[in-house]
Amino acid sequence: EVQLVESGGGLVQPGRSLRLSCTASGFTFGNYAMSWVRQAPGKGLEWVDFIRSTAYGGTTEYAASVKGRFTISRDDSKSIAYLQMNSLKTEDTAVYYCTRVGGGGSGWPDDYWGQGTLVTVSS
Amino acid sequence: EVVMTQSPATLSVSPGERATLSCRASQSVSSNLAWYQQKPGQAPRLLIYGESTRATGIPARFSGSGSGTEFTLTISSLQSEDFAVYYCQQYSNWPRTFGQGTKVEIK
């Protein structure tokens, strides 16, 4: 059974940093791209970033709203994806979902989702 | 950026009736279109991808159609567990983008 478990969320002040982790199980992590999608309270879904599998170069993509502040990475030996969030803004407040992409590269949807972790940016 | 527009914003349907949800892309996304279902307090769940392929475990009452810029999700006979918010997403171009969602509520 595919499982994705996010951790690391919480309350953080504007301008500070936070790192989210997504621990995966039930599949060969290294074969899949991974992504983060967020949802502000009462709002719709917003794609955040994406990392290809190592076989596809492990390259990354970012939404304009987070580019230069957020970094997605992966540790295939531990089956963990990370989201390093720097220079946080109040508008980054959201539930952050880790997703598995259906293949190693782009061209696949988000086929499994974690339960999400809440990040609140407030002074 | 490809803008995804869903209609209607809210759809009121009686159990057992058919529901038809629409999604329009501001430019062609070929067949790289997915539909997700989200219930309150839960993570989204993949329903349909590649226009019309049902994800694992998705009942046959869910179907997708369309290509290019116009897409439709049809729920043939609404069950109580189908009342939720539905999102379309294009994964053809960067950034990936979602529609604003259609809420399917009980009439």
Side-chain angles (χ1 to χ4, degrees), chain A residues 26-43:
Chain A
F27 65 101
T28 304
F29 182 78
N31 289 349
Y32 292 86
M34 299 295 293
S35 182
W36 291 89
V37 174
R38 67 185 181 183
Q39 186 170 37
K43 302 297 184 182

Side-chain angles (χ1 to χ4, degrees), chain A residues 15-99:
Chain A
R16 305 298 290 265
S17 299
L18 202 63
R19 188 178 81 159
L20 306 183
S21 299
C22 170
T23 302
S25 60
F27 65 101
T28 304
F29 182 78
N31 289 349
Y32 292 86
M34 299 295 293
S35 182
W36 291 89
V37 174
R38 67 185 181 183
Q39 186 170 37
K43 302 297 184 182
L45 302 171
E46 179 188 14
W47 172 78
V48 175
D49 56 21
F50 177 102
I51 185 166
R52 295 173 179 82
S53 69
T54 302
Y56 282 81
T59 51
T60 57
E61 307 287 345
Y62 295 94
S65 58
V66 307
K67 195 169 186 177
R69 298 188 300 123
F70 288 13
T71 302
I72 186 173
S73 61
R74 61 190 299 153
D75 185 336
D76 291 353
S77 68
K78 296 180 179 178
S79 297
I80 299 178
Y82 299 100
L83 178 59
Q84 177 67 43
M85 303 184 293
N86 299 332
S87 303
L88 281 161
K89 305 176 181 180
T90 55
E91 53 263 41
D92 294 320
T93 294
V95 173
Y96 284 73
Y97 294 104
C98 170
T99 78

Side-chain angles (χ1 to χ4, degrees), chain B residues 38-74:
Chain B
Q38 187 178 33
K39 298 178 182 179
Q42 296 186 17
R45 175 175 70 148
L46 176 66
L47 296 176
I48 303 283
Y49 65 96
E51 299 170 26
S52 60
T53 303
R54 280 189 299 277
T56 303
I58 302 303
R61 63 180 182 273
F62 291 92
S63 63
S65 63
S67 65
T69 62
E70 300 282 346
F71 301 89
T72 300
L73 174 69
T74 301

Side-chain angles (χ1 to χ4, degrees), chain A residues 37 39 43-47 50 52 61 97 101 106-115, chain B residues 32 34 36 38 41-46 49 56 87 89 91 94-100:
Chain A
V37 174
Q39 186 170 37
K43 302 297 184 182
L45 302 171
E46 179 188 14
W47 172 78
F50 177 102
R52 295 173 179 82
E61 307 287 345
Y97 294 104
V101 178
S106 54
W108 293 92
D110 303 280
D111 62 354
Y112 287 93
W113 297 59
Q115 281 305 299
Chain B
N32 297 313
Y36 300 87
Q38 187 178 33
Q42 296 186 17
R45 175 175 70 148
L46 176 66
Y49 65 96
T56 303
Y87 294 94
Q89 177 208 39
Y91 51 95
W94 301 106
R96 295 184 165 206
T97 45
F98 291 91
Q100 80 279 19

